[in-house]
Amino acid sequence: MKCQYCEKPATFHITEITESTGSQVMHLCEEHAKGFLQKEEADPVASIASALAKQLDLGQTKKELEELDRKACPVCGISFFEFRNTGRLGCPFDYTHFAADLLPLMTNIHDSIQHVGKRPKKTAAADSQAVIIQLRREMEEAVEREDYERASEIRDELRRMEQAEEGMGDS
Amino acid sequence: MKRSSDFNELATRSGEWMRGTGPESDIVVSSRIRLARNLADFPFIKRCSDEDRVSIERTVRAKMEQFANWDEVHYYDLEQLPEIDRQFLVERQLVSREIAEADGARGVAVSADEHFSVMVNEEDHLRIQVMHSGLDLKTAWNQINELDDLLESAILYAFNSEFGYLTSCPTNVGTGLRVSVMLHLPALVITRQIEKVFRSMQRINVTVRGLYGEGSQYSGDFYQVSNQITLGRSETELVELVGGDVVPRIIEYERKARDYLVKEGQQDLHDDVSRALGILGTAKKISSEETMHYLSKVRLGVNLGLIDDLAVGTINKLFMQTQPAHLQKLHGRLLRSSERNVERATYLQRHLSDAFES
Ligand SMILES: [Zn+2]
Ligand SMILES: [Zn+2]
């Protein structure tokens, strides 16, 4: 038997039991088995896919999901489709932009939609941080199309914002 | 914090968390907690440009360099480190396989006693990890909570009041906390109760994974239990779920199975353990699966008092040092798989005979 992830022989047979996927046996080579055992969480793509499948069962139509797939974050540009396929979000602002769409997913994964527990002593408005991320992206795009004038304008703007932030942190 | 790329000293020691001490260490190998954190003003890793990654690594490293009392913390630049050294850190569980195999600017800060490590540019910008020998999640939580406070004093985290600490994957959002306990459960495997025990846990929000005997010639009998959810419960509740509720129950089942084996099958068990020790001490070449299989039996024998002259810490050290990157580091050069099997056998022979003579 070959390893599920490469051509080497599968010498390890790993059982994983989770609520969302039930009991599952994986056949892996030594290297992939060690990596798998050290990773503490279940495959996020699988758990997100299964949570979204449950949403379909719960009455969200295929058309609604297709529309959602096209929705994209204005800050980092990631589409919901891309997120769904990789299980990874693009930036912190996604939790604001896709908030309503993420709620059913959160309920499925965590059985909760509200953080309880530790909070950082200092936080910044998500919007101001999002602007920084967005400007940095715009600056890189300006450099790419060789619009150096625009790039340096953005750089100045970014500096101003970062200085303002430092000042706030000290006060 | 000092930058480092030298592993010669690390290679000869076993990690602090492998000492084989701490509460319930006959069954619990290690307790680990990790926190996922991200900088507020950068995209998550998947959407980072190369420049973003460089900026994040530089910023975080510069902040950590200024921490007081971090003189003995080593920082390894994973982008510069050769593959064998990165694999070595994976085997010691100081970094994940993902970060070891990734590209671009990334690194890890490791405390001298190897109790904590901070990965920079893993799946999240920061992955903070604390590890202790035996079942000691409270100590681990207190330590990681302090580390997190320290990092937070220097770095603005991505956080919102609804979803908590924002992470690249929504399966980690909220506390960003994952508690993992590594258990050695040979008696539940021998008595064929292991699957039944874990099936009974399926509904309580924990994930179990392990090397499993069936279909495989050799098994190591190690299982990892971790919390599945991270949002909607506080850090201490999650620590309590795994460390106060689930793991103690599994420990109790394993102890019952061990008692049963001692009472009902003492002779068979003693035979099995002695043979395992015999093979490890005399083989001329041995694969890493076989090694794990027999070391697991020997570990059980030591814990049941069937073998007198070996300590659990020694067995743990052998588990670690017979892995490929460790063997090659100790040997001082790269080895092909067949050469490793010979080197592994030589290593085991030498260390097991040391243990008997001392
Ligand atoms: Zn493989
Ligand atoms: Zn975004």
Side-chain angles (χ1 to χ4, degrees), chain B residues 109-348:
Chain B
V110 178
S111 68
D113 59 13
E114 293 177 64
H115 274 314
F116 81 75
S117 62
V118 181
M119 285 178 261
V120 184
N121 286 348
E122 213 257 14
E123 180 189 309
D124 293 294
H125 300 151
L126 295 179
R127 285 280 176 103
I128 314 164
Q129 170 186 289
V130 166
M131 194 119 100
H132 282 269
S133 181
L135 182 61
D136 200 1
L137 286 169
K138 291 219 170 86
T139 307
W141 165 245
N142 289 335
Q143 190 176 4
I144 204 166
N145 192 22
E146 264 175 44
L147 263 172
D148 183 47
D149 287 346
L150 179 64
L151 287 158
E152 185 209 299
S153 70
I155 293 161
L156 188 62
Y157 284 155
F159 179 91
N160 82 32
S161 55
E162 195 180 5
F163 293 130
Y165 293 92
L166 306 178
T167 52
S168 140
C169 183
T171 54
N172 295 315
V173 83
T175 56
L177 175 133
R178 196 79 59 185
V179 178
S180 307
V181 176
M182 184 70 82
L183 297 151
H184 184 226
L185 305 173
L188 285 174
V189 173
I190 295 171
T191 57
R192 296 177 185 277
Q193 296 179 84
I194 191 84
E195 201 160 354
K196 200 179 76 199
V197 169
F198 286 137
R199 278 192 198 290
S200 72
M201 312 241 149
Q202 244 184 72
R203 296 248 129 228
I204 49 173
N205 294 317
V206 295
T207 301
V208 179
R209 57 168 43 143
L211 290 177
Y212 186 57
E214 217 142 299
S216 122
Q217 194 181 355
Y218 305 115
S219 74
D221 310 326
F222 290 97
Y223 291 82
Q224 182 173 264
V225 178
S226 44
N227 60 304
Q228 205 171 337
I229 61 170
T230 55
L231 178 71
R233 297 213 206 172
S234 72
E235 292 81 1
T236 43
E237 282 173 319
L238 291 171
V239 166
E240 185 59 22
L241 168 73
V242 176
D245 182 10
V246 176
V247 167
R249 264 197 284 161
I250 301 176
I251 291 174
E252 202 187 310
Y253 290 131
E254 170 69 15
R255 285 210 201 291
K256 277 190 188 141
R258 288 184 184 187
D259 287 349
Y260 171 85
L261 283 179
V262 168
K263 261 191 226 117
E264 305 296 323
Q266 169 95 20
Q267 208 166 31
D268 286 349
L269 190 66
H270 207 153
D271 177 61
D272 224 24
V273 167
S274 306
R275 280 169 188 268
L277 191 57
I279 289 169
L280 291 172
T282 56
K284 296 295 171 227
K285 54 180 187 170
I286 190 163
S287 72
S288 115
E289 297 92 303
E290 236 185 316
T291 304
M292 196 183 231
H293 175 73
Y294 292 121
L295 276 178
S296 167
K297 289 197 182 298
V298 170
R299 195 180 192 277
L300 177 65
V302 168
N303 282 322
L304 292 180
L306 300 172
I307 300 172
D308 295 328
D309 305 316
L310 274 170
V312 176
T314 308
I315 310 282
N316 287 355
K317 188 173 169 180
L318 293 177
F319 269 113
M320 171 158 297
Q321 301 201 324
T322 52
Q323 297 181 84
H326 272 78
L327 270 185
Q328 296 175 75
K329 275 275 148 198
L330 290 168
H331 192 71
R333 69 173 177 89
L334 295 180
L335 299 165
R336 278 179 289 123
S337 169
S338 57
E339 292 177 311
R340 287 206 296 271
N341 290 344
V342 173
E343 178 62 22
R344 185 177 292 113
T346 312
Y347 180 87
L348 284 165

